[in-house]
Amino acid sequence: MHPNLFDFQVNGFGGVDFQRDDLDEDDMSRAVAALDRHRTAGILFTLITDRIDDLCRKFERIESIRRHDERVAAVVKGYHLEGPWISSETGYYGAHPVEKVCLPSLADYRRLRDAAGGRLRLITLAPEVDGSLPVIEEATNDGIRVSIGHSNATEQAIDDAIQAGATLATHVGNAAPLQMHRHDNVIQRLLSRDELIACLIPDGLHLPPFVLKNYYRAKPKGKVFFTTDCMAAAGAGPGRYTVGPHVVDVADDGIVHLPGEKRFAGSSLTMDRAVENIVNWLDLDLESAIRTCSNLPAQHFGINL
């Protein structure tokens, strides 16, 4: 297996929850060692919805760890901010703490960008939310990629987001209600946009293999990236873990559940397994599968592996 895989949505790994306020160098050393065992050379360390003050502190903490640990710095190539500027509409915020969802502002964006030491590489937001477009424009001007996710964006809102600079759609097919209009829904709206790169989770759970194949076929060549959207159980096995404010259970089948619920709360997929799944389910050759899980997405974020 190729050693230079890249994952742009990693909420935790190797038993380490990246959302924790007390994350330290030992935690990140364990996570980086586990990532290496799964052939992942680079990640975007991902933070989910939280208060702006808390997100700034978390960025400052991981920045401090990067400064003191060269190995962590080599693997944590940058940051993915997923929320808090997402939809608060039922079914679209997924496992994010809806009480911490807020409206975007340029002031808050600049605080977060600066707390991240200029290494913010990706922002997932809902463009239909008031205040999103100025943030998309400024982030794009700052060289940060913007992705539509946890969103029920209309056609017009998607048009506006693309015009402002959005280039991706986060975990297409997920963070949506179980029941929607069979045609006029955000999944179909996003898949139809050739301008947008569809980011897909190839674990067989978030998208059944036949759905993954349909979504992959719906996009032009080079317009699909794969990510794990993994949490602490990735590379660590079954057990009880945390994802930010949530306690989650991971069974032998690898499914991450909120206790007593059917909702997913991230995945336990690893990037090396993702490559195997892509080869098996999409009939890609190994070289093509590796490229879509390494250099292709890394280059989009301006990252060298």
Side-chain angles (χ1 to χ4, degrees):
M1 177 66 69
H2 196 279
N4 284 343
L5 301 177
F6 173 72
D7 194 353
F8 53 89
Q9 191 165 3
V10 181
N11 308 286
F13 206 91
V16 179
D17 179 9
F18 292 173
Q19 318 304 313
R20 291 180 62 88
D21 289 321
D22 59 354
L23 186 74
D24 61 25
E25 288 186 47
D26 288 342
D27 294 329
M28 286 307 301
S29 292
R30 291 202 312 278
V32 164
L35 285 160
D36 182 67
R37 289 194 294 272
H38 290 277
R39 308 293 192 263
T40 305
I43 66 167
L44 293 186
F45 177 107
T46 302
L47 292 179
I48 66 167
T49 296
D50 205 339
R51 308 290 185 199
I52 299 296
D53 286 346
D54 293 330
L55 287 167
C56 286
R57 279 194 293 270
K58 290 175 182 180
F59 277 134
E60 289 164 354
R61 179 180 289 273
I62 183 60
E63 273 291 282
S64 176
I65 293 170
R66 285 183 84 261
R67 285 193 296 271
H68 289 93
D69 192 317
E70 292 181 358
R71 193 173 179 210
V72 172
V75 174
V76 177
K77 304 290 188 182
Y79 307 117
H80 177 177
L81 178 65
E82 186 189 4
W85 307 318
I86 60 175
S87 174
S88 58
E89 191 177 347
T90 300
Y92 294 96
Y93 57 81
H96 286 235
V98 67
E99 71 278 5
K100 296 180 180 180
V101 170
C102 65
L103 296 179
S105 72
L106 287 175
D108 285 344
Y109 159 72
R110 290 165 184 160
R111 284 185 62 200
L112 290 161
R113 175 197 63 194
D114 294 347
R119 273 177 273 273
L120 190 54
R121 301 283 189 165
L122 174 61
I123 297 172
T124 291
L125 52 68
E128 71 272 23
V129 173
D130 288 344
S132 290
L133 292 181
V135 170
I136 296 173
E137 290 173 351
E138 184 158 326
T140 299
N141 288 336
D142 289 338
I144 299 166
R145 297 297 190 178
V146 177
S147 186
I148 299 172
H150 288 278
S151 165
N152 188 21
T154 62
E155 287 277 278
Q156 185 61 57
I158 295 170
D159 281 340
D160 293 343
I162 292 171
Q163 185 65 34
T167 60
L168 304 108
T170 294
H171 49 47
V172 176
N174 298 111
L178 289 176
Q179 295 188 0
M180 299 184 294
H181 191 285
R182 61 185 172 183
H183 297 142
D184 186 8
N185 62 65
V186 72
I187 297 170
Q188 298 296 337
R189 291 177 215 135
L190 292 172
L191 281 175
S192 72
R193 298 309 183 98
D194 290 351
E195 307 96 320
L196 294 176
I197 297 163
C199 304
L200 307 178
I201 304 171
D203 63 353
L205 302 169
H206 282 78
L207 300 175
F210 60 86
V211 175
L212 184 76
K213 181 178 284 190
N214 288 340
Y215 288 6
Y216 182 76
R217 288 174 171 173
K219 301 300 294 184
K221 185 176 181 180
K223 288 290 189 174
V224 172
F225 291 167
F226 297 100
T227 183
T228 64
D229 191 16
C230 65
M231 44 70 70
R240 177 157 283 192
Y241 298 91
T242 61
V243 185
H246 300 297
V247 174
V248 297
D249 291 326
V250 181
D252 291 338
D253 57 12
I255 300 176
V256 183
H257 280 306
L258 297 168
E261 296 190 31
K262 293 184 178 180
R263 279 193 300 161
F264 296 149
S267 84
S268 63
L269 183 66
T270 58
M271 213 62 197
D272 53 348
R273 181 58 182 271
V275 170
E276 294 175 9
N277 291 345
I278 293 163
V279 169
N280 292 332
W281 297 337
L282 301 180
D283 298 322
L284 267 67
D285 61 83
L286 182 59
E287 183 179 349
S288 297
I290 288 170
R291 187 166 59 252
T292 61
C293 296
S294 58
N295 289 323
L296 190 65
Q299 288 168 1
H300 189 72
F301 298 112
I303 290 168
N304 294 317
L305 293 178

